Amino acid sequence: MLRAALPLLGLPLAAAGAAEEPTQEPGSWGEPPPGLALFRWQWHEVEAPYLVALWILVASLAKIVFHLSRKVTSLVPESCLLILLGLVLGGIVLAVAKKAEYQLEPGTFFLFLLPPIVLDSGYFMPSRLFFDNLGAILTYAVVGTLWNAFTTGAALWGLQQAGLVAPRVQAGLLDFLLFGSLISAVDPVAVLAVFEEVHVNETLFIIVFGESLLNDAVTVVLYKVCNSFVEMGSANVQVTDYLKGVASLFVVSLGGAAVGLVFAFLLALTTRFTKRVRIIEPLLVFLLAYAAYLTAEMASLSAILAVTMCGLGCKKYVEANISHKSRTAVKYTMKTLASCAETVIFMLLGISAVDSSKWAWDSGLVLGTLFFILFFRALGVVLQTWMLNQFRLVPLDKIDQVVMSYGGLRGAVAFALVILLDRTKVPAKDYFVATTIVVVFFTVIVQGLTIKPLVKWLKVKRSEHHKPTLNQELHEHTFDHILAAVEDVVGHHGYHYWRDRWEQFDKKYLSQLLMRRSAYRIRDQIWDVYYRLNIRDAISFVDQGGHVLSSTGLTLPSMPSRNSVAETSVTNLLRESGSGACLDLQVIDTVRSGRDREDAVMHHLLCGGLYKPRRRYKASCSRHFISEDAQERQDKEIFQQNMKRRLESFKSTKHNICFTKNKPRTRKASRKKKDGVANAEATNGKPPRDLGFQDTAAVILTVESEEEEESDSSETEKEDDEGIIFVARATSEVLQEGKFSGSLEICPSPRIIPPSPTCAEKELPWKSGQGDLAVYVSSETTKIVPVDMQTGWNQSISSLESLASPPCTQAPTLTRLPPHPLGTEEPQAPLDLSSDPRPSFAFPPSLAKAGRSRSESSADISQQQELQPLMGHKNHTHLSPGTANSHWCIQFNRGGRL
Amino acid sequence: MGSRSSHAALIPDVENIRRETGFSQASLLRLYHRFRALDRSKKGYLSRVDLQQIGALAVNPLGDRIIDSFFPDGSQRVDFSGFVRVLAHFRPIDDDTGVRDPKQPEPLNSRTNKLRFAFQLYDLDQDGKISRHEMLQVLRLMVGVQVTEEQLESITDRTVQEADEDGDGAVSFLEFTKSLEKMDIEQKMSIRILK
């Protein structure tokens, strides 16, 4: 199919067009081998995949072009643009080739293009919301679709009987019912494409979208039943056939769902055992989901339902089992595939429409169909909503109904189904094709274009993201339990009761079975929120630099009530994975710039502030195992981090104290602090250092890392750096803009440790695995000053005070290096440092003294810490902002390189 | 049920209860039957034991507290009107939220009252504040998985800090309300059948 079709796409691209010519040549000359050919043109061997790739490339390029103009994309949904592009391409092809031989092939569509989209939507479906509205969704999907199919079919037949359809359209009641069944189903691809750009409220979205997914079963059954009836001829249809038709509805839908759930179970179970082969985790997800689709398709069950259920069912367990990197990989691959498929579908739809040989126009039929699908959709929605509202806690109001009626978009599924019709059995096929195309175009383009203004005009409640708070999460759980309990007391076993039962069952058996133990331990929603909040705090804390330093020392940035200062873009960061439902099923597409920026910012911040995301200095050699040196890398990290901190503390003692003050006192720190330090040092395999000297910021960060480690417990697998890896590319942009730029200008070169950017990219996720404790030194490592500066400080304090020259200061510090391979590399370090001295660098003697006094008596620390923040705040943030910023600049700068 | 069920008049003091709780006749009747069914020994009131018999309540982490809420002020029995009054908190909010007589007390199913009901489940000593300790207890019930006591405490600290605005280390009802202001309480604390 693609083989035949894709050259057409290639034609406009002169290259591909030209490339096609030589395809014949090797074949025709092939007989006498003229010796060793220096150059052989083997187009035919690569033709098919080459064209597929080109195809997708064109679609992607088109997307890029569309998004160049924000204005256009904010007004016109992408699907419209793609269809129009398809039309144009199709037109060009038609003009060049004088014939249109390509269209959206049902086989490709159902086997390759549809599954990714459905999987994506199933997997990222907000399950709580989905099940909360399951009743309504099912009603609209089943009753609504049946209603639409029969009324539309019957009305068209009536139209024909009334003589409004040209007599050349040879179709009986069954034909029209068949047509009605295929045209009636709301299309998930179209709905998704349009609705995710219109941010309506969650309930509305989930109802329309859920309907479009679940009605597949009904559509498939209706279509098949009607089709076979038409093929049998209406005279031969027995009563039992009707009964069978009804029965098949259940078989197809329940069967499809069952297949999906079985595969979801298998998938969850498999991922439980992938601890040592993390690299295949994403693959497993896709393979098994696809297997579910194919299996259902094979058994002629509802494949869409199967994949939806598979995604919906497995997500919780899979997400818990697979590593964080895999999670990111799954997410991005899924989104990429879905977006890709969607793009291609719409483009092909446009191209197919040009193929006039399949068209047969009948105005009566076309207009009648258009009117009927709109009318009956609206009528059906109103009737069903009225019925549903009798049972719904929160009734769907009129505006909701308007949007639901109007959101009934038809799409590629209808088109693929109508193409599948057999012309010999359905003589009116060409008319149906034309009508379907018009309907699809009308709904996608006209309704797609107008739905946004409509939603705005009707003031439909929009969805809003708000970040989860611990309180909300906790209380939500409480409410669930309260409601379940009240239902018990009332003696009515309703939704809450069963949900509660299910959760208990899930917790007791299913989760135990399907989640690996360590994952199970940390898989609590409240804990999850807590964990996220902590990360967010860390980020926004670092983000703010020293600005939150208040004498109370209590400001937690993520606290909603006080975070006016802390309210940066970063604080919204985790909203997507937050407990609140995120309706943007393709959120990475729609809000790309914002998210990426946030991610990028966070990336830097974490880079600078936490150990974990930075364990990537060493160039990894293995391509097959990503988990090898996690431990040692981490040790190295910690070591490096400490070293860096110390260096920085040389430079700007005060900030670090401030930094210290805020964090540890407020958070879990004080309790865990000692613990964390001891632990970190133990893992470092180094003798305990003097806490007094060691930059306290580093201590805290250690705590952070410990904290996370604890949550992962026995396995060292990390729940690390939320969404960091994939955003690294956006970093440079981020750094150029906004508030960081200022600080960058002020102190352009405080970087001490040049990171190795390539490493970060080359390396696959570091993963668990217990490495040995020896600290590994790669060439990158050596860029860090491998010194124990505590001694250095003590020994060279005088020279420091006399003249601030960092290189000199560093050199003696090497003396008391712990038994450590790093020592061998030491000469590089001073060099590296000296190459990058800040011109303004100078140690104020008073500060140095303060630092020393700290180092000398650790008992003094707390006192110092009480005092320092005020001091530091005043001195640096206000008096010398440049210096104050330098500390952070270091990290931002580094992040930029990553 | 049979003939009994058609007579709402059987319920003692039915009009007053209706006015107070806003339940429909049918709901009251339904609840009354439930009440009678729970009251196994036909003593005309429910004791704690009666409610504890409900199987699912035993596994509900908040089961005990909810049972307690039926027995305010340490009383040992709850009659039908008390029973209904508690359940009235979960009646969905009426659509016609137009003019309400300002003299009348706020209906039991108002947002505030729903929240207050939840609040008093936390506030065990009923001092109008959720102390850190009380929060810890709730969290211990709610955080299902095995987190260590330390972790639990840090979650608690965090939770209290998050909601605590006046810095007294406890969550007052006002702060509690505020922390939930974005949540659709009317929907989350209602049960449809209790019209």
Side-chain angles (χ1 to χ4, degrees):
Chain A
M1 182 279 315
L2 285 174
R3 217 169 246 274
L6 288 171
L8 292 178
L9 179 74
L11 279 180
L13 307 168
E20 198 171 12
E21 303 255 332
T23 46
Q24 313 302 340
E25 292 166 12
S28 51
W29 299 350
E31 303 310 324
L36 182 66
L38 272 181
F39 181 79
R40 284 176 65 204
W41 195 265
Q42 295 186 318
W43 165 250
H44 62 287
E45 284 181 18
V46 297
E47 183 184 357
Y50 201 95
L51 287 174
V52 171
L54 271 182
W55 202 211
I56 296 170
L57 182 67
V58 169
S60 313
L61 289 179
K63 262 190 149 169
I64 296 177
V65 172
F66 296 155
H67 282 278
L68 282 183
S69 160
R70 185 163 302 206
K71 206 173 164 195
V72 171
T73 38
S74 69
L75 287 176
V76 187
E78 208 178 72
S79 48
C80 298
L81 291 172
L82 283 169
I83 282 197
L84 294 177
L85 173 76
L87 274 177
V88 171
L89 284 184
I92 294 173
V93 168
L94 195 64
V96 172
K98 300 286 185 266
K99 59 178 179 177
E101 39 186 298
Y102 186 57
Q103 63 182 12
L104 185 59
E105 201 68 37
T108 329
F109 174 71
F110 283 119
L111 288 185
F112 301 113
L113 293 177
L114 194 53
I117 298 177
V118 180
L119 176 62
D120 175 60
S121 37
Y123 192 77
F124 292 106
M125 175 98 74
S127 54
R128 175 76 198 262
L129 203 58
F130 178 77
F131 285 111
D132 280 356
N133 293 290
L134 190 60
I137 292 171
L138 276 179
T139 313
Y140 290 119
V142 178
V143 181
T145 309
L146 286 174
W147 157 270
N148 282 348
F150 281 111
T151 49
T152 310
L156 284 175
W157 182 71
L159 205 65
Q160 191 204 31
Q161 297 302 101
L164 290 172
V165 175
R168 60 177 189 275
V169 181
Q170 301 169 348
L173 177 58
L174 265 181
D175 297 281
F176 279 120
L177 283 181
L178 174 61
F179 179 60
S181 73
L182 67 88
I183 203 78
S184 65
V186 176
D187 183 72
V189 185
V191 165
L192 250 188
V194 168
F195 267 71
E196 73 187 9
E197 295 183 24
V198 188
H199 299 272
V200 296
N201 65 70
E202 311 169 336
T203 317
L204 195 53
F205 176 84
I206 201 74
I207 287 178
V208 176
F209 177 54
E211 175 199 346
S212 71
L213 275 179
L214 297 194
N215 68 15
D216 172 67
V218 182
T219 313
V220 167
V221 171
L222 268 183
Y223 177 80
K224 279 184 184 152
V225 168
C226 289
N227 207 7
S228 50
F229 283 1
V230 168
E231 285 176 7
M232 284 155 67
S234 52
N236 304 327
V237 179
Q238 310 286 320
V239 181
T240 49
D241 292 324
Y242 290 109
L243 291 180
K244 275 187 202 160
V246 174
S248 71
L249 177 61
F250 291 97
V251 172
V252 167
S253 54
L254 297 180
V259 168
L261 289 179
V262 167
F263 276 92
F265 182 83
L266 287 179
L267 177 52
L269 200 61
T270 321
T271 51
R272 200 188 153 169
F273 302 105
T274 50
K275 186 183 160 194
R276 296 185 196 286
V277 269
R278 292 293 196 192
I279 202 101
I280 62 160
E281 279 170 345
L283 192 63
L284 275 177
V285 174
F286 290 102
L287 282 183
L288 276 164
Y290 194 46
Y293 187 91
L294 292 180
T295 311
E297 192 74 46
M298 185 176 69
S300 50
L301 302 171
S302 167
I304 291 186
L305 210 53
V307 173
T308 309
M309 294 312 282
C310 182
L312 203 58
C314 73
K315 185 181 184 200
K316 178 180 172 190
Y317 310 105
V318 169
E319 295 270 280
N321 283 337
I322 63 180
S323 73
H324 200 95
K325 301 284 167 189
S326 306
R327 227 175 292 164
T328 309
V330 166
K331 179 172 148 194
Y332 259 69
T333 318
M334 223 175 247
K335 298 281 183 204
T336 309
L337 285 178
S339 158
C340 198
E342 188 189 279
T343 311
V344 170
I345 286 175
F346 280 116
M347 212 160 97
L348 287 186
L349 263 182
I351 291 183
S352 325
V354 177
D355 184 4
S356 56
S357 66
K358 298 221 164 57
W359 279 64
W361 181 271
D362 181 78
S363 309
L365 185 64
V366 169
L367 292 179
T369 313
L370 263 186
F371 172 75
F372 287 136
I373 61 159
L374 287 175
F375 175 73
F376 286 118
R377 166 85 186 167
L379 191 62
V381 164
V382 170
L383 288 177
Q384 291 171 76
T385 311
W386 177 80
M387 199 174 70
L388 279 170
N389 276 348
Q390 310 295 314
F391 301 100
R392 276 182 73 86
L393 187 60
V394 184
L396 296 162
D397 57 20
K398 290 211 173 57
I399 290 176
D400 289 344
Q401 294 176 34
V402 171
V403 176
M404 277 163 59
S405 318
Y406 205 68
L409 307 179
R410 295 354 187 233
V413 172
F415 182 78
L417 286 178
V418 82
I419 293 292
L420 275 178
L421 289 179
D422 184 354
R423 195 191 306 261
T424 55
K425 300 281 170 37
V426 188
K429 179 186 172 186
D430 289 351
Y431 295 98
F432 289 158
V433 171
T435 314
T436 309
I437 288 176
V438 171
V439 166
V440 170
F441 274 47
F442 179 82
T443 54
V444 171
I445 294 180
V446 177
Q447 287 176 245
L449 269 177
T450 47
I451 198 161
K452 222 178 205 171
L454 183 79
V455 163
K456 236 178 236 158
W457 182 63
L458 288 175
K459 298 195 178 60
V460 178
K461 267 185 284 171
R462 302 300 192 91
S463 67
E464 47 189 38
H465 286 304
H466 40 83
K467 45 194 176 177
T469 64
L470 264 178
N471 276 283
Q472 276 188 16
E473 189 65 31
L474 170 67
H475 301 324
E476 219 162 304
H477 277 252
T478 323
F479 295 159
D480 286 345
H481 285 297
I482 293 176
L483 286 191
V486 171
E487 280 196 351
D488 286 331
V489 171
V490 176
H492 169 84
H493 287 179
Y495 173 69
H496 300 286
Y497 172 81
W498 289 113
R499 209 174 46 71
D500 210 52
R501 291 325 282 279
W502 166 256
E503 268 177 12
Q504 271 162 24
F505 172 76
D506 176 61
K507 197 179 272 178
K508 255 194 194 138
Y509 305 106
L510 222 48
S511 290
Q512 305 271 19
L513 180 64
L514 295 179
M515 286 187 194
R516 59 183 64 160
R517 197 157 298 148
S518 59
Y520 173 69
R521 271 194 58 229
I522 58 161
R523 211 59 196 172
D524 182 86
Q525 280 155 315
I526 297 178
W527 172 253
D528 228 42
V529 172
Y530 174 68
Y531 176 76
R532 285 176 208 289
L533 284 177
N534 271 346
I535 293 183
R536 198 166 68 197
D537 272 356
I539 297 158
S540 30
F541 172 75
V542 179
D543 188 30
Q544 292 153 40
H547 297 299
V548 264
L549 303 172
S550 62
S551 51
T552 64
L554 261 172
T555 314
L556 285 189
S558 67
M559 282 190 206
S561 47
R562 309 201 187 115
N563 59 356
S564 54
V565 190
E567 191 66 72
T568 63
S569 63
V570 185
T571 53
N572 288 325
L573 206 118
L574 296 152
R575 61 168 187 232
E576 187 188 11
S577 37
S579 66
C582 171
L583 288 178
D584 260 336
L585 292 181
Q586 288 197 322
V587 74
I588 22 178
D589 274 347
T590 49
V591 286
R592 171 176 289 133
S593 56
R595 257 201 74 74
D596 279 4
R597 262 191 47 204
E598 289 171 4
D599 283 351
V601 169
M602 167 156 124
H603 178 79
H604 307 311
L605 301 174
L606 282 181
C607 267
L610 301 176
Y611 283 130
K612 296 209 294 168
R614 301 181 47 254
R615 277 168 295 153
R616 53 177 80 136
Y617 285 108
K618 189 178 74 78
S620 165
C621 299
S622 166
R623 287 286 82 101
H624 304 290
F625 297 98
I626 48 181
S627 53
E628 288 177 340
D629 300 319
Q631 185 63 50
E632 74 184 23
R633 239 177 286 152
Q634 191 182 1
D635 293 339
K636 197 178 57 185
E637 276 288 320
I638 295 172
F639 178 69
Q640 290 171 347
Q641 185 86 6
N642 284 345
M643 285 308 152
K644 196 186 73 167
R645 291 284 171 187
R646 289 180 194 196
L647 256 188
E648 287 165 11
S649 78
F650 264 116
K651 294 189 165 188
S652 53
T653 322
K654 280 184 192 169
H655 318 307
N656 288 330
I657 298 165
C658 304
F659 183 53
T660 304
K661 170 63 186 170
N662 196 321
K663 265 283 123 137
R665 292 285 164 260
T666 54
R667 305 228 329 256
K668 64 231 161 182
S670 54
R671 176 176 46 74
K672 285 208 174 157
K673 188 165 159 186
K674 219 187 277 174
D675 200 328
V677 174
N679 218 332
E681 279 163 2
T683 45
N684 274 345
K686 285 182 287 186
R689 275 180 240 101
D690 183 1
L691 186 64
F693 177 80
Q694 190 178 17
D695 173 22
T696 350
V699 175
I700 292 126
L701 290 159
T702 314
V703 172
E704 185 79 31
S705 116
E706 282 305 312
E707 175 86 6
E708 284 158 341
E709 197 149 4
E710 267 176 38
S711 63
D712 282 332
S713 78
S714 52
E715 311 178 21
T716 345
E717 78 185 34
K718 290 297 174 197
E719 296 291 315
D720 36 23
D721 64 2
E722 187 80 27
I724 281 170
I725 277 312
F726 51 85
V727 297
R729 63 194 155 76
T731 54
S732 49
E733 297 165 27
V734 176
L735 288 175
Q736 303 316 325
E737 57 187 62
K739 56 181 199 175
F740 303 132
S741 59
S743 50
L744 278 174
E745 284 160 18
I746 294 170
C747 41
S749 61
R751 274 197 318 103
I752 300 167
I753 306 144
S756 61
T758 46
C759 257
E761 305 305 328
K762 271 189 298 192
E763 224 170 83
L764 278 169
W766 57 79
K767 273 305 137 214
S768 66
Q770 306 286 343
D772 52 337
L773 290 176
V775 176
Y776 179 90
V777 186
S778 71
S779 56
E780 285 94 3
T781 318
T782 60
K783 289 171 186 162
I784 290 185
V785 191
V787 289
D788 189 343
M789 296 203 310
Q790 179 190 348
T791 33
W793 182 284
N794 289 330
Q795 290 173 357
S796 64
I797 194 71
S798 52
S799 65
L800 237 185
E801 282 173 359
S802 62
L803 172 65
S805 76
C808 303
T809 328
Q810 305 312 326
T813 60
L814 297 170
T815 51
R816 225 187 75 180
L817 197 66
H820 216 274
L822 280 176
T824 56
E825 309 274 355
E826 65 194 43
Q828 286 191 18
L831 279 179
D832 199 50
L833 262 183
S834 57
S835 70
D836 207 17
R838 286 171 49 212
S840 62
F841 180 82
F843 262 106
S846 61
L847 278 187
K849 268 174 196 151
R852 181 169 51 176
S853 69
R854 274 205 305 148
S855 74
E856 278 161 9
S857 72
S858 49
D860 221 353
I861 304 173
S862 57
Q863 221 177 343
Q864 288 287 345
Q865 282 166 342
E866 297 299 327
L867 296 174
Q868 293 291 355
L870 290 169
M871 247 172 70
H873 196 218
K874 239 191 264 167
N875 287 351
H876 288 266
T877 327
H878 295 311
L879 295 183
S880 57
T883 347
N885 281 331
S886 71
H887 178 71
W888 307 109
C889 281
I890 290 165
Q891 285 138 21
F892 295 139
N893 222 348
R894 282 192 47 259
R897 291 286 230 83
L898 278 179
Chain B
M1 303 218 171
S3 61
R4 259 185 345 155
S5 52
S6 55
H7 299 299
L10 273 179
I11 308 171
D13 205 14
V14 66
E15 273 312 307
N16 279 339
I17 296 176
R18 262 193 70 183
R19 212 172 310 123
E20 187 182 3
T21 60
F23 278 124
S24 70
Q25 196 102 334
S27 303
L28 273 183
L29 208 63
R30 177 199 175 93
L31 289 176
Y32 189 60
H33 290 312
R34 178 65 181 168
F35 181 78
R36 297 280 296 271
L38 287 174
D39 178 15
R40 295 225 177 135
S41 47
K42 302 287 172 258
K43 46 196 181 302
Y45 60 86
L46 294 181
S47 64
R48 268 166 216 273
V49 185
D50 289 322
L51 287 178
Q52 278 156 0
Q53 283 166 355
I54 305 172
L57 266 187
V59 286
N60 193 319
L62 293 175
D64 281 339
R65 291 172 182 234
I66 286 163
I67 292 177
D68 285 342
S69 68
F70 281 94
F71 303 95
D73 310 325
S75 64
Q76 290 306 312
R77 52 181 66 181
V78 56
D79 60 1
F80 181 63
S81 68
F83 180 73
V84 175
R85 207 176 297 127
V86 172
L87 295 178
H89 288 102
F90 299 95
R91 195 167 63 86
I93 288 180
D94 306 309
D95 296 334
D96 49 335
T97 46
V99 262
R100 193 164 47 82
D101 192 352
K103 276 177 297 193
Q104 284 207 342
E106 207 169 348
L108 284 170
N109 63 347
S110 72
R111 181 187 170 97
T112 317
N113 277 330
K114 282 178 194 291
L115 282 173
R116 196 169 283 285
F117 183 87
F119 184 78
Q120 50 98 7
L121 290 186
Y122 291 80
D123 183 20
L124 286 183
D125 59 6
Q126 298 180 339
D127 61 349
K129 281 180 191 301
I130 304 172
S131 67
R132 185 181 171 283
H133 182 66
E134 284 162 345
M135 190 67 95
L136 180 67
Q137 283 179 311
V138 175
L139 275 164
R140 192 175 289 136
L141 293 174
M142 304 303 297
V143 179
V145 293
Q146 308 93 321
V147 291
T148 63
E149 196 63 18
E150 275 188 5
Q151 287 167 333
L152 206 57
E153 282 189 19
S154 50
I155 299 182
T156 312
D157 285 340
R158 184 58 196 265
T159 314
V160 173
Q161 274 181 8
E162 196 179 81
D164 181 21
E165 289 188 336
D166 53 12
D168 63 351
V171 181
S172 68
F173 181 64
L174 207 69
E175 289 160 350
F176 180 76
T177 319
K178 209 153 189 191
S179 72
L180 288 172
E181 85 198 322
K182 292 212 183 92
M183 208 192 270
D184 190 2
I185 303 298
E186 291 86 344
Q187 185 186 346
K188 289 222 155 97
M189 284 282 279
S190 300
I191 294 180
R192 191 185 50 77
I193 52 145
L194 293 176
K195 278 263 172 171

